[in-house]
Amino acid sequence: MMKKLRSLVLIPLMLLTATAEARLTIEISEGVEGAMPIALVPFGGMGAGRNRPEVADIVAADLARSGRFAPLAAEKLPARPHNGKTINFAAWRAAGVENVVVGQVQQEAGDKLLVEFQLFDVVRGVQLTGYSIPSTPTGLRRVAHQISDIVYEKLTGQRGAFNTHVAYVTVQQYSQKERRFRLAVADADGYNEQVILTSKQPLMSPAWSTDANRLAYVSFEEGRPVVYMQDIATGKREALASFKGLNSAPSWAPDGRHLALTLSRDGNPEIYVLDIQTRALTRITKSASIDTEPAWSPDGRSLVFTSDRGGKPQIYRVGLNNNHPQGRPQRVTFEGLYNARASFSPDGSKLVMINGEGNRFRIAVMELKSGVVRVLTDSRFDESPSFAPNGSMIIFATERNFRGVLEAVSVDGRAHQRLGTSQGDVREPAWSPFISH
């Protein structure tokens, strides 16, 4: 039995610029022992072709990247059914599979398609879920990610984050004196890259709005740092902070109406909250030290930020009441001489940060309740960590073979993947919130 599910409406990124030739490519550099065996049977009906990717392949790749699943290789599939009526559960059990996904893509009127899929528990021989999803040929990748989310949530109990986006900055060196910076957005699997802005001057710190429709970022195109807000679909943008001195590190409040950011308009880098509509500023910190890199708690009642007020960069937290500071900032991190660029997990229970030891800067996660810090990576120059909206993975920038690449690590440190382009460096990643449209 299949339920009807409305297809997600694609954000019309094609209105901005042509799709870049290069895209993020993903390599699973370390899997997880004991991952759940699952089979994704190639969908029946219309076969893969121009503008028709193989839905099952996309779902298999999504699930494999999570580190929670081990999809059966296509050549090892014992059969290729397209619906539950023709599944021989004994054959799939013999193949060591616990769950199987079958489906088909049907042509409807015009360019309309109908994607049907079913998820079965092979051991019990029962259907766990099934949906019928309308689509178009160009929307099949998005539908495949939607299917991945459904399967992931049904089998793990945690919401999937495959139908999300990643923002990042690429840097390409054209000559000794000329570099080209691009702010881009892609699907979470690296496909459908769209360039939001190209500049000869640095672009930094992209931050997603809570509705995933806008980006705030820092641009040096005017010869100094200015914080901009840009609508992803239309390309319309406006300067939000262009004060004298430093304008940097924007972070969206959960209410979608305020930004925390770092300004030196009063002489010293401090944390402020900006009302996007009225442009009213509220100063949050007042210190002779450098306060920067603010990030909101999921409930909007506090901010964490990096400060060297104790002598070395560490993470501090300040309470908020209607976006006004409550009490003095309290130090949060005590393990290690360097902790910076912190942000909250979606459930507010953890902080991800850069932990420095000697000349190594690695991704670490701190449990706020216990204060326990766990280093998740073994590289040297990690930066800009960002949680997936379901809290399962962390994307970050690092350096491999003298090139900037993006990597992702599961929150338990067991699964790793690498994202890079064939040209230039990639840096400053930011994982989008869940996409509700």
Side-chain angles (χ1 to χ4, degrees):
M1 181 177 183
M2 287 179 285
K3 309 169 188 177
K4 290 185 178 180
L5 186 66
R6 294 183 61 190
S7 180
L8 299 184
V9 178
L10 298 181
I11 295 177
L13 297 175
M14 63 289 297
L15 297 177
L16 301 178
T17 62
T19 302
E21 290 296 328
R23 71 167 181 86
L24 288 177
T25 56
I26 297 180
E27 167 196 352
I28 300 175
S29 51
E30 185 177 345
V32 176
E33 291 186 11
M36 188 183 304
I38 189 171
L40 290 304
V41 180
F43 280 29
M46 299 175 60
R50 182 176 176 83
N51 293 327
R52 292 196 305 275
E54 175 53 66
V55 174
D57 288 347
I58 299 170
V59 177
D62 283 344
L63 297 178
R65 283 188 294 110
S66 75
R68 304 283 295 274
F69 295 89
L72 189 66
E75 63 271 17
K76 294 184 178 180
L77 297 175
R80 300 201 171 200
H82 302 311
N83 59 67
K85 296 179 181 179
T86 57
I87 293 179
N88 181 339
F89 290 106
W92 291 98
R93 286 193 289 268
V97 171
E98 295 181 8
N99 297 279
V100 61
V101 176
V102 297
Q104 51 192 334
V105 181
Q106 300 292 348
Q107 181 76 54
E108 300 282 283
D111 67 344
K112 305 297 183 183
L113 303 176
L114 190 65
V115 183
E116 299 176 340
F117 83 95
Q118 296 166 283
L119 168 66
F120 288 89
D121 180 321
V122 170
V123 177
R124 294 185 294 152
V126 297
Q127 179 177 322
L128 299 178
T129 190
Y131 283 91
S132 177
I133 310 173
S135 181
T136 63
T138 56
L140 279 176
R141 293 198 68 87
R142 183 59 50 81
V143 169
H145 295 318
Q146 193 176 2
I147 293 172
S148 301
D149 284 343
I150 294 170
V151 172
Y152 183 92
E153 183 170 7
K154 191 68 180 180
L155 296 179
T156 69
Q158 182 182 44
R159 186 174 180 181
F162 305 109
N163 187 44
T164 54
H165 294 142
V166 175
Y168 50 91
V169 174
T170 65
V171 187
Q172 190 167 357
Q173 192 84 36
Y174 286 92
S175 67
Q176 188 173 0
K177 295 183 178 180
E178 183 182 0
R179 289 184 299 173
R180 188 66 52 86
F181 296 83
R182 302 184 314 153
L183 174 60
V185 171
D187 292 350
D189 65 349
Y191 281 82
N192 295 326
E193 182 189 71
Q194 300 291 330
V195 178
I196 305 303
L197 181 66
T198 300
S199 175
K200 293 183 179 180
Q201 301 300 322
L203 300 170
M204 301 173 60
S205 305
W208 290 91
S209 62
T210 52
D211 60 8
N213 288 331
R214 295 164 292 170
L215 283 174
Y217 56 88
V218 177
S219 172
F220 283 75
E221 62 199 88
E222 296 182 13
R224 61 190 184 90
V226 175
V227 175
Y228 286 88
M229 176 179 67
Q230 184 163 335
D231 185 281
I232 296 176
T234 66
K236 180 181 178 181
R237 69 174 186 151
E238 56 184 312
L240 293 180
S242 57
F243 302 102
K244 179 181 177 180
L246 186 67
N247 303 275
S248 68
S251 174
W252 289 85
D255 64 13
R257 302 192 303 271
H258 295 84
L259 276 182
L261 65 169
T262 300
L263 305 174
S264 62
R265 64 193 299 266
D266 296 319
N268 201 55
E270 304 284 358
I271 307 300
Y272 292 77
V273 169
L274 172 71
D275 186 308
I276 295 173
Q277 293 298 322
T278 67
R279 296 297 197 269
L281 279 172
T282 303
R283 185 167 173 172
I284 304 300
T285 64
K286 189 174 183 179
S287 169
S289 302
I290 296 174
D291 296 337
T292 186
E293 300 174 342
W296 296 83
S297 62
D299 61 9
R301 298 173 62 182
S302 64
L303 285 167
V304 291
F305 60 94
T306 306
S307 178
D308 64 352
R309 60 183 64 196
K312 297 286 186 178
Q314 295 290 343
I315 307 302
Y316 290 77
R317 185 173 188 172
V318 59
L320 299 176
N321 183 12
N322 292 325
N323 297 320
H324 286 75
Q326 296 296 297
R328 296 175 57 85
Q330 301 296 312
R331 183 169 167 176
V332 175
T333 52
F334 295 90
E335 186 172 325
L337 297 177
Y338 179 101
N339 291 286
R341 194 68 180 262
S343 60
F344 284 89
S345 61
D347 65 1
S349 67
K350 305 177 184 67
L351 288 179
V352 65
M353 67 193 75
I354 302 299
N355 175 267
E357 181 180 349
N359 293 322
R360 303 184 71 184
F361 298 90
R362 299 174 293 176
I363 304 300
V365 167
M366 174 177 158
E367 298 283 348
L368 286 171
K369 187 174 182 179
S370 65
V372 173
V373 175
R374 180 182 182 187
V375 176
L376 302 182
T377 59
D378 193 31
S379 36
R380 292 180 58 86
F381 302 111
D382 299 341
E383 60 182 27
S384 307
S386 175
F387 270 107
N390 65 355
S392 65
M393 302 286 290
I394 297 163
I395 195 169
F396 60 97
T398 191
E399 184 180 289
R400 299 288 182 183
N401 299 320
F402 304 103
R403 288 186 57 190
V405 299
L406 305 185
E407 297 193 0
V409 59
S410 59
V411 74
D412 60 7
R414 299 171 66 200
H416 294 257
Q417 56 187 259
R418 187 169 301 154
L419 303 85
T421 65
S422 59
Q423 301 175 347
D425 296 336
V426 196
R427 57 185 63 167
E428 303 277 344
W431 211 315
S432 80
F434 288 116
I435 300 170
S436 58
H437 45 270

